[in-house]
Every structure is written in structure tokens, then in C-alpha cells.
Amino acid sequence: MDIIAKLRDVPFDELHPNERLKVESDYLRGSLEAGLADEATGAVAEDDTQLTKFHGFYMQDDRDLRDERRHQKLEPLYSFMVRLRLPGGVISPKQWLTLDDVSSRYANGTLRITTRQTFQYHGVFKENLRAHLQAIDKAMIDCIAACGDVNRNVICSANPHRSQIHRQVYELSHAISDRLLPSTRAYHEIFLGEERVAGGAEERETVSSKRDAEAEGDPREPLYTRHYLPRKFKVALAIPPENDVDLFAHDVGFIAHVENGELDGFTVCIGGGMGMTHGEPSTFPRLSDPIGYCTPEAVPAVAEAIMLTQRDNGNRRDRKQARLKYTVESMGLDAFKAEVESHLGEALAPAREYHFADNGDRLGWIEGDDGLWHYGLFVQNGRIADFDDGPQLRSGLREIAETHDGDIVLTTNQNLIVTQVPATKREEIDAILDRHRVVADHSRLRRSAMACVAFPTCGLAMAESERYLPSLIDKLDTVMNEAGLSDDAITVRMTGCPNGCARPYLAEIGFVGKAPGHYNLYLGGGFSGQRLNKLYRENIDEATILGELEPLIQRYAAERETGEPFGDFVIRTGVIKETTAGRAFHDA
Ligand code: SRM
Ligand code: SF4
């Protein structure tokens, strides 16, 4: 039974309040038009803050200034975080220059590479929102569905210019994104000034006659219906042996299989997700499970069938139980798969074996299949800025975009790749980065580390993350050096709360914010993103973190087996128990 039929007689008060908001929003319009025009406040109406997400932006306030503003009896300093839809993360030099320009014109002068291979802007004031979105629209980029209860930015193994397989997988990320894009024209009308054309008038009639619309399905939003999804929905594609996208962390994962140099098909996985809530064991991170195999041509249809199954079966009463991972847990994998196959009209072939080696990026120079070179550049926590007394990263990248013809590709580890460089131009790129003091020889520990945004913009942060991890890594670098491990990579990830935006539950060492200056410490994640970690110490400060990790790292240096990753070592030596399934994440 589809969602329209399912919810027809369910009173709204039995559902989560967001469900009514979606249905009554006139396909995501709400009162946004009026809210943007209201000059008396930097905010938009409470209900509309849920709708802006579907259009790719979030209302936030500067948490560093909250107390001071309250003291001065001023409203919080509201601004918006704007997130781009950029499947596969590819940006042409011309687009780069626009995106760079927009960051100083309308935002806080920085660009932030996210863990989903796109850019976020912070500090966009309400009066600049339209101009911001219109400027990026001119560069053929939009923010539609970058947040909200819809299919999010589709991510894939980075750099389509590296090989033919990478190119094909990248094209599929676009095909999925296009196919799962909402149909509403709300974004175009409200932010880009598109006229409501004849269809709009028809739309309104259909809405007022709700029963008729429901009897016919939903012509204005055929895939999503006016109910949209119960929760966000995320798709990733990976090309083994590299698991740079953390394939198992997403609602849907497609693992590429290559036969005789040709892309043969994909193992399809469902049910991954990271978010949980401290102290609520019914919430947990979960890795996705394989359910079958499909051809490359079938990938968009398979993604759609999985999304429809989630649309119709996901929990619409409790948003903390609404992600696909919980739908799989409650329906069972077989029942979920059967419904996917019924949408597809055929059975999936059996899943195939795959092997992943690691979940990091290829940094430095690598040669592509066509003899062109690609430079993977480490970007600390994804923040592109000109740092006081530090690297002039933003200026350096602008110069590269001005002088080089190749694309710049974002990665899901918050790094970027300067692509398509002829061998003769490599030195020129190196020289630009040198001139802007962009350092390439960070420790492997730092290069394997990621942190989410957290303070001051994230409203959910309980502790610092992006602003704190670099200094913690300084101290951990000393520990690693003293243990003789300066050339070793251990994946370290930090988030300011348990939502898991930097996928910390896959790290070999994970830090999750509990309170200012205090973190839960997780150990034992898989080096290739194949295993969740487990809670080792709760609510500890920096001194305790270092006190716990120093002896473990020394012991690792002394007792590890050849090639044994830290995450495997702590399990083999009994420091921590292995997490074998998401629902066992909280078991001691
Ligand atoms: Fe996230 C909410 C930042 C990737 C799980 N995430 C947020 C918000 C929007 C806070 C909010 O709701 O008010 C954060 C905005 C902070 C800011 O100031 O910018 C935020 N998430 C981010 C980014 C920017 C982190 C980063 O440092 O790169 C990533 C943007 C990705 C993108 O471009 O789309 C980001 N978030 C993720 C990931 C990783 C991924 O997708 O691979 C996850 C874990 C995977 C997953 O979805 O399970 C993730 N974010 C969450 C959750 C928990 C969802 C859940 O199922 O429990 C929330 C909170 C929520 O949705 O209620 C959240
Ligand atoms: Fe904010 Fe938490 Fe996500 Fe970090 S993990 S960006 S603190 S929601």
C-alpha cells in the first residue's frame, strides 16, 4: 500500500508534527515568500525553518554570540547555512570562481567541503539568500534537496577523470540525483523568480480538491507525493578496493564490480546510517547489508525502488526511528527486499563478493588512465579559507582555477583533487600551492582525520569539533612520533554530538561530543569502513583522552602483527569487543 493510501485516514496528531507541515506546505512553499520579505527579523517563521531544508539551507545562529546578544536584548544573530547539490562533487574552474566569489559576497568568506562531497556556505544573512542562490544558479548549480526529507547529495568514489570506470560511476551519481529530484517548482519560484505558470494554477486546484489528487496519486510530486519521505535518504557508490565514500554508512550503497576492465554491475546494499542519541539505546549506527546485484543501467531504478519502499514503510510517528535502517530492522531485510523487487517488477540477482582496502583518499599526485595527473590535496576538516598567519588556501585554489583548465573534485573525506593536469604543468600547480603556504607534508594521522562543523554554527553541537580536532591531533602526533608511528595512518574522527556527521562510528579512534570539552571515546572501527567501533570511555576530557590513548598506541607499536590496523589490534588484544551489528552497538 502506498503512502497516500496508508495515511488517508490517519489523524495528523498521531504523526510527527513535520508530517503535517510537509502536507500543508503547498509543495514546500509554506510562507517562505512572506518570511523572506519581512525585514523586522533575520529569521523565517518556525514552520518554514523545516521547509528551507528541502531547498538546501538551514537557519542557524552564531552560538558564540548567543549570550552576549541575549544580554543586549537582541534576537540571536540569525544567518543561514547553504548547502549545494553537487552529485559526485565535480566543479569546473569557471564554477569554482563563481562559488569562491559568492563566499565573500554573500557568506562568511569561507567554503566548507562536507563529508558528502559538496560545499556549504555559512553566515548567509536572510537578505542575501536570493542573490546567493541566483548567483550559483548562473553557474548551473542549485541547492535543491541538499537537506530535508528527500534524496540528498549522491556521493561516489572521487574523480571521474581518473578512469573510464570512475567516469561511469560518476555519471550514475547524476542519473540517481536527477531521477530522485523532487518535482515541485517551489525553489525556482521563491528564490529564482520563476513565474507560476499555467501548471501552477492547475496545481492549486488539485490541492484544494485533496481527495481527487489522492485518488490519482500525486501528479505534482509523483515520486515523493506531498508527504515526501519520513526522513533524509542517502545514496553512495564506491569503486573497490577504495571505500572513500564509506559505502556502508548510507541508506543505499552501490558497490561497483569490474569484469575484464568493463563495469559489469553493482552489489546493492541497504540500511546504513550513523546517527544516534546519547542514552537512547533504541537509536544506533548501523552498516548496510547487501541485498542483491544489478546492472549499471538498472541503478537509478533500483535506487528509486528502495526509496519508494522507505517512503511507504518508514516511521512517520517518531523521527528518531524514521531512517531506512530502522525500517529494515522492523520489517526485516527479506520483506524490505521483496517490496523493492515488487516496485522493480523483477528479482535482483545475488549479491557478489567485494573487497575494500581502506576508506581514505589518494593524496598527492596520481596518474590517470589517460596519462593526465591528479593532485589530491588535504584540506583540514574541509575548511577552505585564507587563514591568518597560515595557508592562503582559498587564494591558492582561486589561482589554480584561474590558470588551470581541469575540474576540481571534492571528496567525501573533506579533501579535494585538482584534476586533469598534464605532466608538464605539475610543477606549476605545486608552485602555486607553495607560494600560498599550503603544506603538503602533514602527518598521516592528520591526513586520516575528519571533524564535523559543530560550533559556532551547528545548533545541535554539544562540544567543539572542527575548531578543536587540529590541536588534539598536534598532541596525538607527538604520541605517535614517540611510539615510532609517524608514518602510520589511524583513522580518527570527531563530531560535536552523536548525530555522526563525520561518520565517527567507523573510525578506529572516534570522539563524539558529550559536553563542552568532553567526549565519548570509541575504538575498534574497521580501517576500510567495514566495521563499527564501540564505546571505550565516556565523557572524558583531553587529559584523560591522552592518558587513555598513549599506552594503547605504544602497545600497538610494540605488539601489532604485520600490517595490522589499529582498529583490528584493539579487538584482537581484547581492549574492546568487536561490534558485529548495529543493534549490538551499545552492548558492552
Ligand atoms: Fe549532518 C544534522 C552538518 C553529513 C547525520 N548535519 C546536521 C546539521 C544540519 C545540524 C542541524 O540539523 O541543525 C549540521 C549543520 C552544521 C553546520 O553548521 O554546518 C550537519 N552533516 C553536516 C556536515 C556539513 C558535516 C561536515 O562537517 O561535513 C555534512 C554535510 C553533508 C552534506 O553535504 O549533505 C553532514 N550528517 C552527515 C553524515 C555523513 C554522511 O552523510 O555521510 C551523517 C551520518 C550519516 C547518516 O545520515 O546517518 C549525518 N546530520 C546527521 C544527523 C543524524 C541523522 C540521523 O539519522 O540520526 C543530523 C540530525 C538530524 O537529522 O536530525 C544531522
Ligand atoms: Fe552538528 Fe552533531 Fe553534525 Fe557535528 S555531528 S555537525 S555537532 S549535528
Side-chain angles (χ1 to χ4, degrees):
M1 202 181 356
D2 77 17
I3 195 62
I4 293 178
K6 242 182 196 169
L7 294 183
R8 179 163 291 139
D9 299 319
V10 180
F12 273 123
D13 60 11
E14 287 182 18
L15 302 176
H16 188 278
N18 283 26
E19 293 302 316
R20 178 197 283 272
L21 272 180
K22 287 181 261 187
V23 169
E24 295 185 346
S25 69
D26 188 13
Y27 298 87
L28 309 180
R29 290 173 177 84
S31 60
L32 270 169
E33 191 84 56
L36 289 180
D38 181 357
E39 289 174 12
T41 166
V44 295
E46 172 80 28
D47 285 357
D48 289 339
T49 60
Q50 296 304 320
L51 301 178
T52 65
K53 298 179 185 179
F54 292 76
H55 304 305
F57 55 94
Y58 260 72
M59 193 169 88
Q60 304 184 317
D61 73 285
D62 188 328
R63 296 183 64 182
D64 286 349
L65 301 179
R66 254 186 209 173
D67 288 347
E68 193 187 319
R69 306 249 328 164
R70 198 178 301 129
H71 197 64
Q72 294 177 358
K73 300 201 168 24
L74 292 170
E75 75 171 14
L77 185 59
Y78 293 116
S79 68
F80 292 81
M81 174 272 275
V82 175
R83 189 182 283 168
L84 309 184
R85 180 173 69 98
L86 210 62
V90 176
I91 303 169
S92 73
K94 201 167 158 221
Q95 286 176 322
W96 185 279
L97 294 174
T98 303
L99 298 181
D100 174 87
D101 180 52
V102 162
S103 80
S104 38
R105 209 180 274 264
Y106 305 120
N108 70 356
T110 75
L111 291 145
R112 176 60 156 65
I113 307 173
T114 75
T115 53
R116 290 195 76 74
Q117 213 168 18
T118 186
F119 270 138
Q120 273 186 194
Y121 294 92
H122 291 102
V124 182
F125 293 116
K126 187 170 83 173
E127 62 269 26
N128 288 329
L129 261 174
R130 272 208 182 93
H132 187 120
L133 299 182
Q134 288 173 7
I136 61 167
D137 182 66
K138 287 209 179 86
M140 312 289 284
I141 296 174
D142 62 58
C143 301
I144 300 171
C147 319
D149 297 344
V150 277
N151 176 51
R152 301 293 192 86
N153 198 44
V154 180
I155 60 175
C156 69
S157 281
N159 192 4
H161 304 299
R162 203 171 131 185
S163 74
Q164 177 57 28
I165 303 295
H166 282 78
R167 155 72 54 188
Q168 285 172 276
V169 167
Y170 166 71
E171 281 166 3
L172 283 171
S173 75
H174 270 263
I176 297 169
S177 182
D178 290 348
R179 183 154 178 156
L180 304 186
L181 206 60
S183 298
T184 173
R185 299 299 293 175
Y187 180 91
H188 304 81
E189 286 169 22
I190 302 171
F191 308 110
L192 305 183
E194 181 182 280
E195 291 279 316
R196 264 204 161 190
V197 283
E202 257 170 50
E203 282 173 11
R204 264 188 285 254
E205 270 165 39
T206 319
V207 171
S208 63
S209 148
K210 201 167 154 201
R211 289 241 162 241
D212 291 352
E214 290 187 347
E216 293 159 13
D218 196 331
R220 288 177 64 189
E221 199 61 282
L223 260 189
Y224 288 97
T225 80
R226 64 164 70 74
H227 301 279
Y228 292 89
L229 299 181
R231 207 63 164 86
K232 55 180 81 169
F233 180 81
K234 299 182 172 179
V235 182
L237 302 101
I239 308 174
E242 288 161 36
N243 187 16
D244 51 342
V245 295
D246 276 327
L247 194 280
F248 306 106
H250 312 279
D251 298 85
V252 186
F254 290 99
I255 305 173
H257 293 263
V258 178
E259 303 284 343
N260 303 317
E262 303 283 329
L263 183 62
D264 183 80
F266 291 85
T267 289
V268 184
C269 299
I270 61 166
M274 292 282 103
M276 62 157 201
T277 305
H278 286 315
E280 289 189 27
S282 62
T283 65
F284 47 82
R286 186 185 191 281
L287 298 188
S288 61
D289 299 300
I291 56 162
Y293 187 85
C294 71
T295 62
E297 297 71 38
V299 161
V302 171
E304 179 183 303
I306 296 167
M307 192 180 89
L308 294 180
T309 306
Q310 161 66 359
R311 182 197 69 182
D312 295 343
N313 296 286
N315 188 329
R316 289 181 187 260
R317 289 171 169 80
D318 178 0
R319 283 178 73 80
K320 285 194 176 165
Q321 290 294 315
R323 289 295 293 275
L324 187 148
K325 61 182 174 182
Y326 301 117
T327 317
V328 165
E329 288 285 332
S330 63
M331 280 176 82
L333 200 59
D334 290 344
F336 196 106
K337 178 182 169 184
E339 197 163 322
V340 171
E341 290 176 336
S342 116
H343 279 293
L344 281 173
E346 61 180 348
L348 292 164
R352 298 199 185 164
E353 294 282 307
Y354 47 81
H355 168 71
F356 285 117
D358 65 80
N359 60 354
D361 285 341
R362 298 290 167 271
L363 298 176
W365 287 107
I366 61 163
E367 191 176 7
D369 278 4
D370 56 2
L372 290 175
W373 289 79
H374 310 284
Y375 185 75
L377 178 70
F378 170 68
V379 180
Q380 183 141 271
N381 302 328
R383 184 68 66 178
I384 296 179
D386 285 340
F387 297 92
D388 294 342
D389 301 325
Q392 302 299 291
L393 184 55
R394 195 180 142 203
S395 301
L397 290 167
R398 190 166 51 229
E399 189 175 331
I400 288 175
E402 279 162 354
T403 54
H404 171 58
D405 298 332
D407 292 329
I408 297 179
V409 178
L410 309 182
T411 82
T412 55
N413 285 306
Q414 302 171 326
N415 298 313
L416 63 80
I417 309 172
V418 180
T419 72
Q420 301 164 289
V421 182
T424 49
K425 273 197 79 173
R426 276 178 48 173
E427 278 182 18
E428 215 174 287
I429 300 289
D430 287 335
I432 296 175
L433 293 173
D434 262 10
R435 212 169 38 249
H436 291 87
R437 290 180 284 147
V438 178
V439 186
D441 61 349
H442 296 289
S443 70
R444 283 197 71 192
L445 190 75
R446 191 178 301 277
R447 285 186 281 149
S448 311
M450 265 201 316
C452 74
V453 177
F455 284 97
T457 50
C458 179
L460 306 177
M462 300 169 171
E464 293 283 352
S465 186
E466 179 184 332
R467 296 196 295 196
Y468 168 55
L469 185 63
S471 69
L472 181 63
I473 295 283
D474 289 343
K475 291 166 187 145
L476 290 174
D477 269 346
T478 309
V479 174
M480 291 287 279
N481 290 344
E482 283 169 6
L485 296 179
S486 49
D487 290 334
D488 283 71
I490 297 178
T491 48
V492 177
R493 292 176 180 177
M494 173 175 279
T495 56
C497 85
N499 281 315
C501 298
R503 300 186 288 270
Y505 311 113
L506 286 168
E508 295 180 285
I509 301 177
F511 300 103
V512 174
K514 194 82 200 287
H518 287 72
Y519 297 83
N520 283 359
L521 169 61
Y522 295 82
L523 296 179
F527 188 69
S528 61
Q530 83 286 12
R531 183 181 58 236
L532 293 168
N533 50 25
K534 194 172 274 302
L535 181 63
Y536 181 63
R537 294 286 181 264
E538 205 172 344
N539 204 19
I540 55 177
D541 62 9
E542 181 177 280
T544 319
I545 288 171
L546 294 170
E548 291 289 350
L549 287 179
E550 191 169 346
L552 281 179
I553 288 172
Q554 279 166 357
R555 203 176 142 198
Y556 171 59
E559 296 173 26
R560 65 180 166 167
E561 292 175 350
T562 312
E564 186 179 31
F566 182 77
D568 293 2
F569 171 81
V570 288
I571 291 171
R572 179 178 62 81
T573 53
V575 174
I576 194 95
K577 255 175 81 179
E578 178 176 0
T579 296
T580 50
R583 79 188 82 81
F585 181 71
H586 300 288
D587 297 352

